[in-house]
Amino acid sequence: MRVLIIGGCGFVGSHVVDRCLAAGLRVRVLDRAPETYRAPLPNVDYVRGDLGDHPCLADLLADADAVVHLASTTVPSSSNLDPVADISGNLVPLVRLISAMRENGPRKLVFLSSGGTVYGIPTADPVPEIHPLRPICSYGIVKAAMEHYLHMERHLHGLQVIVLRAANLYGPRQGRIGLQGVIGTYLHNLNRDRPIEVWGDGSVVRDFLHVRDIADLCHRALGASVSGCFNAGSGRGTSISELIGHIRQTVGRPVSPTHRPGRGFDVPRVVLDIAKAQATLGWTPRIGLEQGLAETWEWMCSCDAS
């Protein structure tokens, strides 16, 4: 299989590339920038460019069997600052992509959505895929709209679509700029002897999933003959206060966070029901939070020391 990975130089994308290569797939990556934490891999065809570059995209799709879409220009905390940019940077390029796929051949798409934002404030715990989509931030609204366009393309033109609604992802190679990825941000700050911040009282509950587990699910989705939406989480909830307790054990020293006022777009609790992905795709997350934190901390220390 020849796969085009859009956003393959990013945090999640680099691990999806690794998983696809390990399975013997031929990989081409479209990204606006190179990987941050490692050199280009010799057996990957890297193409520098933007998803909005339609002529370039047509050429890239011509010999692809499937597409994995992982790119995003926003994160939940920044999307509300400029919703127009969120729409133009994410929704519009996706609509162009599916049009280009219709014209140039590949009829299979794996799309990384957001299990933490598309549901809004859940009325079920854990949250199943049939839960209504009621996002309360622009990031979630645009992700939901992207899903709707994909399902329209499936209905009208037969595109095989697998949407992965991912939980809060973490692990090695995650960016540490403080915009997304509380685990990466906390560990980076602690390694630099900087304070960490908690928005609210620490009671917010999230579902944390290691990046290699989502990469494995992406690979399974590429080989599946089904379409539909699948939650991608650990199936377990961890409050921010509990997370800080785990981090204390990982780093082996006291951790005293600074508390800031809570944010209106932060959903109080999201834990994903992953039974559908387990039953249909044969996938189960394998890296527990304690193991994942230890690995991420080890990578963080080695990265900062280099």
Side-chain angles (χ1 to χ4, degrees):
M1 177 183 286
R2 296 165 296 184
V3 59
L4 171 64
I5 302 178
I6 300 171
C9 289
F11 164 50
V12 177
S14 69
H15 288 275
V16 174
V17 167
D18 289 348
R19 184 65 186 86
C20 288
L21 290 175
L25 276 61
R26 294 171 57 187
V27 175
R28 172 176 286 165
V29 166
L30 174 64
D31 211 310
R32 295 180 296 175
E35 284 196 36
T36 302
Y37 299 109
R38 66 179 182 181
L41 302 178
N43 48 351
V44 175
D45 179 15
Y46 293 96
V47 178
R48 188 75 58 85
D50 194 283
L51 184 54
D53 183 355
H54 192 274
C56 171
L57 187 59
D59 292 338
L60 298 179
L61 291 169
D63 63 350
D65 297 309
V67 176
V68 180
H69 184 305
L70 306 169
S72 179
T73 63
T74 59
V75 294
S77 61
S78 67
S79 62
N80 287 355
L81 301 176
D82 193 347
V84 173
D86 195 10
I87 294 168
S88 62
N90 294 293
L91 180 58
V92 173
L94 177 83
V95 175
R96 289 176 176 160
L97 170 65
I98 58 179
S99 176
M101 290 180 67
R102 195 184 318 135
E103 297 169 2
N104 296 280
R107 306 306 297 147
K108 185 165 194 174
L109 176 66
V110 177
F111 173 68
L112 188 65
S113 187
S114 170
T117 63
V118 296
Y119 296 118
I121 300 175
T123 58
D125 186 19
V127 188
E129 290 87 351
I130 61 173
H131 189 285
L133 305 186
R134 298 169 180 159
I136 59 173
C137 70
S138 178
Y139 183 86
I141 291 170
V142 170
K143 286 288 191 183
M146 294 167 82
E147 289 190 21
H148 289 315
Y149 270 101
L150 290 171
H151 294 312
M152 180 184 74
E153 186 69 14
R154 174 191 174 193
H155 176 74
L156 295 179
H157 302 289
L159 180 67
Q160 184 188 350
V161 176
I162 293 184
V163 172
L164 303 179
R165 292 174 177 164
N168 291 62
L169 303 175
Y170 74 99
R173 302 183 213 142
Q174 188 170 36
R176 299 158 296 169
I177 57 177
L179 292 177
Q180 188 178 29
V182 64
I183 289 177
T185 300
Y186 282 177
L187 293 181
H188 174 67
N189 285 353
L190 290 170
N191 196 40
R192 296 291 182 90
D193 293 322
R194 296 172 181 168
I196 64 172
E197 295 183 339
V198 174
W199 299 93
D201 61 3
S203 63
V204 165
V205 172
R206 291 293 179 263
D207 188 339
F208 295 102
L209 180 68
H210 194 278
V211 66
R212 285 204 307 278
D213 280 326
I214 190 67
D216 179 56
L217 182 55
C218 283
H219 173 253
R220 289 174 181 267
L222 282 169
S225 58
V226 300
S227 291
C229 295
F230 297 87
N231 284 337
S234 69
R236 296 179 53 192
T238 302
S239 73
I240 298 301
S241 293
E242 290 171 335
L243 174 65
I244 291 172
H246 290 306
I247 288 175
R248 287 192 186 101
Q249 294 181 332
T250 299
V251 303
R253 64 174 186 263
V255 176
S256 300
T258 300
H259 286 264
R260 304 294 186 194
R263 303 174 295 188
F265 59 82
D266 281 329
V267 175
R269 177 182 176 90
V270 178
V271 181
L272 300 179
D273 185 339
I274 59 174
K276 184 179 177 182
Q278 290 175 312
T280 306
L281 300 176
W283 172 82
T284 297
R286 302 190 180 280
I287 302 174
L289 184 58
E290 292 82 1
Q291 176 189 344
L293 285 173
E295 178 190 331
T296 307
W297 176 243
E298 180 180 0
W299 173 83
M300 191 76 66
C301 293
S302 65
C303 182
D304 283 347
S306 60

